[in-house]
Amino acid sequence: MARNDSTTDFQLDGPAAPLLEVDDLRVHFKTDKGVVKAVDGVSWHVEEGETLAIVGESGSGKSVSAMSILGLVPTPPATFPSGDIRLRGRSILKMPEKQQRKLRGSEIAMIFQDPLTALNPVFRVGDQIAEMIRTHQQVTKTVARRKVLDLLGEVGIPNPAVRINQYPHEFSGGMRQRAMIAMALANDPKVLLADEPTTALDVTIQAQIMLLLEKLRQDRNTAIVLITHDLGLVASHADRINVMYAGRIVEAGSCDDVFYRPQHAYTFGLLSSLARMDKKRQTRLLPIKGVPPSLSRVPPGCPFHPRCRFATEACVEAVPTLETVKLVDMADGGLHRAACIHSDQVEMAFQERVVE
Amino acid sequence: MTEPSSASSGAGTALGEAPVLEVTDLVKHFPIRGGLMGRRPSGFVQAVNGISLNVGRGQTVALVGESGCGKSTTARAILRLIEPTSGSIRLDGVDVMSLGTGELRRARRDMQIVFQDPYASLNPRMTIRQILSEKYQLFGSEVTNSTISDLLDMVGLAEEYADRYPHEFSGGQRQRVGIARAIALNPKFVVLDEPVSALDVSIQAQIINLLEDLQDELSLTYLFIAHDLSVVRHIADRVAVMYLGSVVEIADRDDLFDRPHHPYTQALISAVPIPDPRLERQRERIVLRGDVPNPANPPSGCRFRTRCWKFEQLSETDARRCIEEPPPLYEVAGNPGHGAACHYASLRDVVRA
Amino acid sequence: MTTPPQSGHEPDTQVPAQALITQFEAPEPLVEETTEAPAIKGGRRRTGQIRDIWKRFRRNKLAVVGLAVVGFLMVIAILQPFISPYDPMEQNLLNTRKPPSGNHFFGTDILGRDMFSGILYGVKLAMIVGWSVMVLSLIVGVALGAIAGFRGKAVDSIIMRVTDIVLAFPSLIGAILVVQIFGNGIWQVIIALVLLSWPTAARLMRGSTLSLRESEYVEAARSIGASDTRIVTRHVLPNAIAPTLIYSFSHIGVAIVAMASLAFLGIGVPADIPEWGTMIADAVPSLNVEGESHMWIFPSLAIVVTTLAFAFVADGLRDSIDPKLR
Ligand SMILES: Nc1ncnc2c1ncn2[C@@H]1O[C@H](COP(=O)(O)OP(=O)(O)OP(=O)(O)O)[C@@H](O)[C@H]1O
Ligand SMILES: Nc1ncnc2c1ncn2[C@@H]1O[C@H](COP(=O)(O)OP(=O)(O)OP(=O)(O)O)[C@@H](O)[C@H]1O
Ligand code: SF4
Ligand SMILES: [Mg+2]
Ligand SMILES: [Mg+2]
């Protein structure tokens, strides 16, 4: 893979260093009810121009893992028992505070579900984006303003010259999301962490925003980490997928592998429980029983076993590790890994359902 | 597709049998009060603008559309939880609009609602038992030892949960309680206002199955409100698509998804991603421009024209019709049960292509 | 070639025979703690919520100390007639302004009354006035606030304009005026303070009623045919009252200080009744006199300790009754 490192402030650690790499990250929260293991040994990486999707249920640790990349997780209560986050091989967590701050918003930017967490209601939208530019680049106010106009135009906000002087509340939901994306793009980040960027929006607006993100990825070669629980969104935009459950990655692989050859019982469950718009009425959906566990009391062994239709005694005994799936006839030969000791049964059950 | 057919709006119920719910020309306008002591409204939010719907016994009619298009307002107006501005509502032949306060309260036994937010719709200071018993008390019905446990059993909750408070339950469990409250005393008609939207993906299917089972067991009639078209395709018998306070297309489920005729329905369906990567790669998305206009000041003629992709392609003379003339529900596809409110309605496959 | 995943009916034969696996679609296990619910555990029965409140309250050490002090003061107030070493009103002009001693723990005042007994009597007075003001302003405020909030329209406008007028009045002057009109006396003081404090309670109550009136569970109650009266008493009041209750409680300290201030000015509580404000007023000439500082120190301390204790408890309550209120 060709890497463009001339614009990075950081040296290459070696030719193999990925653009952004999360390595065995653990984020625990100390609460009165015990330790909440929000993220418990998560590793992934993303390359330029690539979209990595992180899917999972509410509370599975998706947001916390993304926010810890930007140092947005409050310590305390959070602790980081292990793990490293590397941008082109340079460890972010070990950097001095000042350098970390420099990274945020320039090399790595984040967009949130709720734009109002990123946009301050009492300042003009244009000023906020300009401010963002000027904290990271030595430019005059005029230059910054011109850049803001360009950005607003690029993210598809009509009438940028008027909008630049308005306040967030004067924007509709979709436009706020665009403004936040403009702000995230202000310093030409290499990685865009998009945490449920369209969950609060209507589908027609979601289509607009996703089209915009897709365009950015192509034009700027930005790496996108798409955090969502919407499997449809993942199917249409992701190159690779990490499925998270109870603070861990339980399955990882290319988009097609995960959708057509799920190897983890949870992924199987998710896919089977979905109603689908392209299918005539199915007699019945196949839900996953029970509820997701509390992260302060994750079940022993495979965290999914109390809800799993394939579980056996062996599942309770040890935490299954993320193993490479060995299958001939892989969709595109990518690394497909799953943490399930019954992945062969899952595969069989899934193919049976497809044939049905 | 030339004959405007207002009759088509309600068609599709089983032959011969009168529909449980008949809604005709329902209108709800919210006054906008300007100023501090403003008594006279300075305008109206046209939340619901002349909707007609029929729901047959045991049927599920879905109401879909984007946020703010008036789905919840329609539902609440039908139940008279808010007073409709005008229109007629008949539930099993009873003219709901003419009921007095006391009669209306008694009539509520037959028309129920399940709310979207399972966290907000249960009184946090009442136990599940108290919440469920209240309805029996209100309708002077006896609560025996087994009443509540039977009810809980029906929605898949164990009896020992009865004396706990809502905060001790998960979202899915709370939604089960909300459903139990609605189905108690066998109502004729239940509105489900986005009953699964607030739930986790893996829990949604549990609740959908539960709703289907209950419908079979108790022959319930549902008005199902949703913005998730995938769920609608699964659960509904008939679907009405709303835009800015009006129904723009109404049809039986498969007709609507496989043969959509209104440009908005087509855009809406095409915007829904399907969890199938290969299919997604070949689908073409109709991306609408801009946002939904302000319902206090809707566009003239066809309300959808400011975002309509078809309108953009029309010649100036053709387009004038969209600007000047509000399209009625035309009968389309030679199917009296399929109506689309577009002057230029035509078929376009948007699910698979 | 694989085909896309498909949902459909799953034959039961799929399920491995396993003790672990409960019947499909069995009720979900009860979540002890949902990820959303903050710090709530073990609430099993009706007492559950109170126990939770107490658990959170206990974590605030100052509040616990405050509660202990309040409890102590209440005991004193009740036992005052039995533990008072002297009659607090009995004068002894031969033994005035004496510093603390074995006979008179807190010394004597300008009329030779035992100050210890006086302070104890003051505790009783403070408790009576403080709690009465709280209960009465709570009743008035909750009733009017709930009506205003739930009824809206003209009723709301009228009640709110009245509160505006009362709140626009500088409160001390208002209290002085009321006492001047009704004459001196403890009940007159209580009435004056209630007249001045109910509007805030009413406004708080109206605010929470307004937001609850629109809430889904109130709509749910309406949807099952509940009447307005039932909705207000069963669904709105119990949920709306917390902020008002906390306000009224924190107002106890304010009421005690207000009474003392009035008494200091010679208004309200009759001058011959031992009251902390009166005591301090009596001590003014002795402010700089050596050996007579006990005359103002003890009543001042009594006021400070009492109001602080109530304030701490109110703070603790605010944080523990409803964590969402913060
Ligand atoms: N500051 C905090 N203190 C304690 N626990 C926390 C804190 N922040 C997050 N958590 C816990 O960490 C877990 C993971 O949260 P996270 O926000 O990452 O979930 P998520 O996967 O993003 O879910 P969602 O889809 O709801 O956004 C949750 O159980 C949450 O309660
Ligand atoms: N009480 C009210 N006063 C004034 N306007 C209202 C009121 N309730 C709803 N509206 C307006 O009526 C329109 C329709 O609202 P409604 O809640 O019915 O939409 P919806 O389709 O249910 O949307 P959602 O999917 O967001 O629930 C919106 O523009 C809304 O702002
Ligand atoms: S009537 Fe005109 S503007 Fe309206 S949907 Fe049809 S083509 Fe579009
Ligand atoms: Mg999140
Ligand atoms: Mg709604």
Side-chain angles (χ1 to χ4, degrees), chain B residues 262-263 302 304-305 308 310-311 322 342-344:
Chain B
H262 195 284
C302 173
F304 180 54
R305 70 176 161 83
C308 179
K310 192 161 243 174
F311 178 75
C322 301
C342 170
H343 295 306
Y344 304 103

Side-chain angles (χ1 to χ4, degrees), chain C:
Chain C
M1 179 65 201
T2 50
T3 31
Q6 207 172 39
S7 318
H9 184 68
E10 177 70 14
D12 278 342
T13 51
Q14 195 66 55
V15 183
Q18 234 299 323
L20 249 155
I21 287 141
T22 43
Q23 180 55 45
F24 203 59
E25 280 212 29
E28 305 155 26
L30 184 77
V31 272
E32 298 272 358
E33 43 191 306
T34 50
T35 31
E36 315 76 14
I40 292 170
K41 198 187 139 208
R44 272 297 111 86
R45 298 276 149 191
R46 274 147 219 271
T47 54
Q49 289 189 326
I50 291 168
R51 201 188 312 154
D52 289 339
I53 292 172
W54 171 238
K55 255 182 91 175
R56 286 191 291 266
F57 186 88
R58 231 173 30 192
R59 245 179 272 152
N60 184 339
K61 292 289 169 264
L62 275 181
V64 175
V65 172
L67 188 66
V69 174
V70 168
F72 179 65
L73 292 174
M74 298 286 293
V75 172
I76 290 182
I78 293 163
L79 297 183
Q80 181 270 340
F82 312 106
I83 54 175
S84 183
Y86 297 88
D87 176 350
M89 302 187 201
E90 186 190 290
Q91 303 178 1
N92 181 354
L93 295 176
L94 300 174
N95 193 21
T96 62
R97 306 177 206 206
K98 287 287 176 296
S101 65
N103 276 339
H104 300 284
F105 303 133
F106 289 178
T108 60
D109 70 358
I110 42 168
L111 297 175
R113 294 175 293 198
D114 178 44
M115 283 204 57
F116 181 69
S117 305
I119 295 277
L120 292 187
Y121 194 84
V123 170
K124 182 158 97 178
L125 212 53
M127 291 303 122
I128 291 174
V129 172
W131 285 104
S132 308
V133 170
M134 169 185 162
V135 170
L136 292 177
S137 65
L138 190 67
I139 293 173
V140 177
V142 164
L144 292 179
I147 292 171
F150 199 76
R151 266 294 142 86
K153 308 236 170 76
V155 181
D156 183 26
S157 299
I158 293 169
I159 295 176
M160 284 304 107
R161 289 306 81 75
V162 174
T163 65
D164 284 344
I165 294 166
V166 178
L167 289 174
F169 238 80
S171 48
L172 197 59
I173 297 178
I176 293 173
L177 258 175
V178 175
V179 177
Q180 294 302 340
I181 294 168
F182 291 110
N184 279 348
I186 291 169
W187 277 105
Q188 285 85 334
V189 172
I190 291 174
I191 288 167
L193 294 178
V194 170
L195 280 179
L196 293 166
S197 63
W198 73 266
T200 314
R203 299 195 135 236
L204 280 168
M205 191 64 199
R206 172 182 178 264
S208 35
T209 306
L210 267 182
S211 64
L212 283 181
R213 191 179 66 172
E214 303 298 326
S215 75
E216 271 194 359
Y217 64 80
V218 166
E219 205 177 1
R222 189 168 293 131
S223 80
I224 57 170
S227 64
D228 280 0
T229 323
R230 186 182 177 94
I231 288 176
V232 172
T233 52
R234 294 272 301 180
H235 298 277
V236 176
L237 275 186
N239 291 293
I241 208 166
T244 318
L245 197 72
I246 291 164
Y247 161 78
S248 303
F249 194 87
S250 67
H251 198 78
I252 294 180
V254 178
I256 293 172
V257 172
M259 170 175 69
S261 312
L262 287 176
F264 183 84
L265 298 175
I267 301 161
V269 181
D272 55 332
I273 293 182
E275 199 280 347
W276 300 336
T278 326
M279 292 182 187
I280 298 175
D282 288 347
V284 169
S286 310
L287 269 184
N288 291 317
V289 182
E290 211 176 306
E292 296 182 4
S293 51
H294 67 275
M295 287 177 56
W296 57 269
I297 285 181
F298 289 113
S300 308
L301 262 179
I303 293 177
V304 170
V305 168
T306 310
T307 48
L308 273 184
F310 276 104
F312 289 158
V313 177
D315 261 1
L317 278 181
R318 195 188 329 275
D319 295 350
S320 59
I321 281 194
D322 200 342
K324 281 169 290 180
L325 283 179
R326 267 175 294 175

Side-chain angles (χ1 to χ4, degrees), chain B residues 3-4 32 47 52 66 70 83 112 132 146 152 172 190 219 223 230 242 260 271 287-288 294 296 304:
Chain B
E3 279 297 285
I32 306 168
S52 302
E66 287 174 281
E83 273 314 312
Q112 284 294 301
L132 296 178
S146 64
L152 285 175
V190 182
S219 32
L223 179 65
S230 314
M242 280 184 77
V287 178
L288 294 178
N294 182 352
F304 180 54

Side-chain angles (χ1 to χ4, degrees), chain A residues 255-269:
Chain A
C255 190
D256 284 20
D257 281 346
V258 172
F259 273 96
Y260 299 130
R261 308 215 102 161
Q263 300 291 313
H264 194 283
Y266 175 61
T267 319
F268 168 88

Side-chain angles (χ1 to χ4, degrees), chain A residues 69 82 89-90 98 111 117 140 175 276 282 285 323 342 355:
Chain A
I69 296 172
S82 84
R90 285 269 314 251
K98 206 175 143 203
I111 55 182
T117 53
T140 63
M175 282 214 291
R276 289 191 42 170
Q282 307 98 359
L285 299 176
E323 301 289 348
H342 295 307
V355 174

Side-chain angles (χ1 to χ4, degrees), chain B residues 198-212:
Chain B
L199 305 177
D200 256 326
V201 207
S202 74
I203 311 296
Q204 287 191 2
Q206 298 175 355
I207 300 296
I208 291 171
N209 282 354
L210 171 67
L211 289 171
E212 286 182 327

